[in-house]
Amino acid sequence: MTVRVMIVDDQALVRAGFRMVLDSQPDLAVVAEAIDGADALRVLDRVAVDVVVMDLRMPTMDGVEATRRICARRDDGRPRVLALTTFDTEADAFAALRAGASGFLLKNVPPEELMAAIRVVAQGDSVVAPSITRRLLDRFAGQLGPAPAADPRLAQLTEREREVLLLVAQGLSNAEIAARVHVAEATVKTHVGRILAKLQLRDRVQAVVLAYESGLITPGG
Amino acid sequence: MTVRVMIVDDQALVRAGFRMVLDSQPDLAVVAEAIDGADALRVLDRVAVDVVVMDLRMPTMDGVEATRRICARRDDGRPRVLALTTFDTEADAFAALRAGASGFLLKNVPPEELMAAIRVVAQGDSVVAPSITRRLLDRFAGQLGPAPAADPRLAQLTEREREVLLLVAQGLSNAEIAARVHVAEATVKTHVGRILAKLQLRDRVQAVVLAYESGLITPGG
DNA sequence: GACCCCCGCGCCCCGGCGGGGGAGAGGTGG
DNA sequence: CCACCTCTCCCCCGCCGGGGCGCGGGGGTC
């Protein structure tokens, strides 16, 4: 079964190049082209397309907006959008994926990868450029799966240590904490040291993260 | 520069197969093997490895736990973990990525893709199997883009600076951030310096607090 | 062309912080 | 009584992080 592809790009040269590459494949067929977002929407009213290869940077209606509209009005899952851009920026990629794109690649990918991506997207799966995948994971890996429940780790701390941790987690230095709790800075240092050791953390920065993640502190509370 | 690979899998046959495939490449070198998670950790104490190819389903210590420990104790971004499994289930994949894996593939990928993935991961980027990428996007696409109701203070930051701030707020050191984003530590320091200056903060600890309080990061999700 | 911003990278300095070791006072419970 | 824990405080040391300064390159704008 052949995949019907539409190419959306304002540069005729790019369109021609993509068409060349894609039409060389027996299972891919470029059935439409468009020069910007508005044009793409008009063409999609008349032509059945499985995958839209969409440049993000375009005049008049940019690729993100076009992607949003295409995804908004599709009813049977098609067409799916594979977003392309020249620039490896988080903003472009996230905007496109948020708008509903099923894939995101940089324009400098080798032809085979582009073709593979089109097949994957046509199948209903997704492809994201490695540099963007990394950023995705950086941001969301912590939210995957079930949260590891309320930390039993905090129970290991003594009352005093929890108190100190709370202050650490508010951004105070050892000296400031010492002033607040009315003890010498040396004392605070030993407390902080014990906290890090017990919780198996490296520095106070990680302690702050744990304080938030464990619910010891809540943003705005 | 050749990539030093370690193979972790309880089946000797699988290890041998991977070794064959990978060693056929001039830029890849299998420098270690392990039969389970515990074994892998021991071996990593002695051998320098860039990428760990980790089977998820193993006896004694499973791949997820092993991945977690490897990622917990690395300090310069290495070794990175590329998780492999036979079964295309969300649970396996998400568990591995949550544990810190830089990549996730199914064992039935063609050899070229496995090799390409290892190179990508060694570089510091990430690869995720298309079926899982789709699930990732289904789940998180809505949360992409500028954080809703973002603190106006964060608007002063450039994109790069926000990216660095995100990593700072996850407890990473400057060196770790450098490895992650692929720049020299000196560069990270300048970025962090600018972040602190723009946001009028004293140190990275306060930056973490702001990241949580401003909604740039949310505990657990 | 001139200017500015962003990025990447290097150098120096130094102060805070983390790690180790030691040590005394109080309170607990075997 | 002694062991154990907690809180308190001290010294030394090494390192990372933060601040200052400079340099080059790329991309915009005027």
Side-chain angles (χ1 to χ4, degrees):
Chain A
M1 170 153 143
T2 104
V3 179
R4 293 162 296 181
V5 178
M6 169 160 124
I7 301 170
V8 186
D9 196 307
D10 59 322
Q11 298 182 56
L13 225 60
V14 175
R15 292 200 306 277
F18 281 180
R19 181 182 274 275
M20 254 334 203
V21 169
L22 300 183
D23 274 341
S24 74
Q25 299 296 304
D27 63 330
L28 303 180
V30 177
V31 298
E33 293 186 8
I35 61 164
D36 63 25
D39 191 20
L41 288 169
R42 277 193 301 274
V43 173
L44 282 175
D45 284 333
R46 300 193 321 269
V47 186
V49 167
D50 297 310
V51 176
V52 177
V53 175
M54 173 82 71
D55 185 26
L56 289 182
R57 299 290 181 94
M58 287 181 305
T60 63
M61 185 195 297
D62 84 331
V64 173
E65 183 55 28
T67 299
R68 191 183 336 275
R69 299 204 189 181
I70 290 173
C71 295
R73 71 184 198 185
R74 71 187 175 192
D75 54 349
D76 63 339
R78 278 175 310 152
R80 287 180 242 274
V81 176
L82 174 57
L84 280 188
T85 193
T86 309
F87 313 102
D88 184 10
T89 73
E90 195 172 300
D92 276 3
F94 284 7
L97 294 174
R98 182 188 179 78
S102 296
F104 175 89
L105 289 181
L106 299 177
K107 275 194 177 175
N108 63 7
V109 293
E112 314 82 57
E113 269 188 53
L114 175 61
M115 299 177 320
I118 290 175
R119 295 187 185 103
V120 163
V121 169
Q123 230 186 310
D125 287 329
S126 299
V127 202
V128 172
S131 63
I132 301 300
T133 299
R134 173 175 56 73
R135 290 178 167 96
L136 266 179
L137 293 180
D138 283 349
R139 172 164 279 200
F140 294 116
Q143 299 180 34
L144 292 173
D151 286 72
R153 284 181 289 183
L154 289 182
Q156 304 172 6
L157 302 182
T158 67
E159 195 58 35
R160 197 59 156 170
E161 284 161 359
R162 261 193 300 278
E163 189 185 354
V164 171
L165 173 56
L166 207 63
L167 296 172
V168 167
Q170 284 168 31
L172 303 190
S173 70
N174 289 337
E176 287 166 344
I177 295 173
R180 193 77 77 89
V181 190
H182 303 298
V183 293
E185 187 180 341
T187 307
V188 176
K189 289 183 68 172
T190 52
H191 282 313
V192 172
R194 282 200 238 280
I195 291 170
L196 298 180
K198 285 186 181 178
L199 302 182
Q200 300 185 89
L201 303 172
R202 187 185 27 174
D203 52 40
R204 61 204 296 114
V205 180
Q206 296 187 341
V208 178
V209 174
L210 183 89
Y212 275 100
E213 295 298 330
S214 70
L216 214 203
I217 304 239
T218 51
Chain B
M1 162 128 162
T2 104
V3 179
R4 295 161 296 181
V5 179
M6 167 159 134
I7 301 172
V8 186
D9 196 307
D10 58 323
Q11 299 181 55
L13 225 60
V14 174
R15 292 200 305 276
F18 281 178
R19 184 183 270 277
M20 253 334 203
V21 169
L22 300 183
D23 274 341
S24 75
Q25 299 295 304
D27 62 331
L28 303 181
V30 177
V31 297
E33 292 186 9
I35 60 164
D36 63 25
D39 192 22
L41 288 169
R42 277 191 302 273
V43 173
L44 282 175
D45 283 333
R46 301 192 322 269
V47 185
V49 167
D50 298 309
V51 176
V52 177
V53 176
M54 173 83 70
D55 185 25
L56 289 183
R57 300 289 183 93
M58 286 180 305
T60 63
M61 186 196 293
D62 84 331
V64 173
E65 183 55 28
T67 299
R68 192 186 331 280
R69 300 205 187 178
I70 291 173
C71 295
R73 72 184 197 183
R74 69 188 176 191
D75 57 345
D76 64 339
R78 278 176 312 150
R80 288 179 243 271
V81 176
L82 174 58
L84 280 187
T85 192
T86 309
F87 313 103
D88 184 10
T89 71
E90 196 172 296
D92 276 3
F94 284 6
L97 294 175
R98 180 187 176 75
S102 296
F104 174 88
L105 289 181
L106 298 176
K107 276 194 178 174
N108 64 7
V109 293
E112 313 82 56
E113 267 187 55
L114 174 61
M115 298 176 322
I118 289 175
R119 294 187 186 104
V120 163
V121 169
Q123 244 190 319
D125 288 328
S126 300
V127 203
V128 171
S131 62
I132 300 300
T133 300
R134 176 174 51 72
R135 291 180 170 95
L136 266 179
L137 293 180
D138 285 349
R139 183 126 160 202
F140 295 116
Q143 299 179 37
L144 290 173
D151 194 299
R153 282 176 291 182
L154 295 179
Q156 307 170 27
L157 302 181
T158 68
E159 187 179 330
R160 195 59 154 172
E161 285 162 358
R162 264 191 299 277
E163 189 184 354
V164 171
L165 175 55
L166 205 65
L167 297 171
V168 167
Q170 283 168 30
L172 303 190
S173 70
N174 289 336
E176 287 167 344
I177 294 172
R180 197 78 88 84
V181 296
H182 252 171
V183 295
E185 187 180 341
T187 306
V188 176
K189 290 180 72 170
T190 46
H191 282 312
V192 172
R194 282 200 240 279
I195 291 171
L196 297 180
K198 285 186 181 178
L199 302 181
Q200 301 186 91
L201 303 173
R202 184 183 29 171
D203 52 39
R204 64 204 293 112
V205 181
Q206 297 187 342
V208 178
V209 175
L210 183 87
Y212 275 101
E213 295 298 331
S214 71
L216 213 205
I217 304 238
T218 54

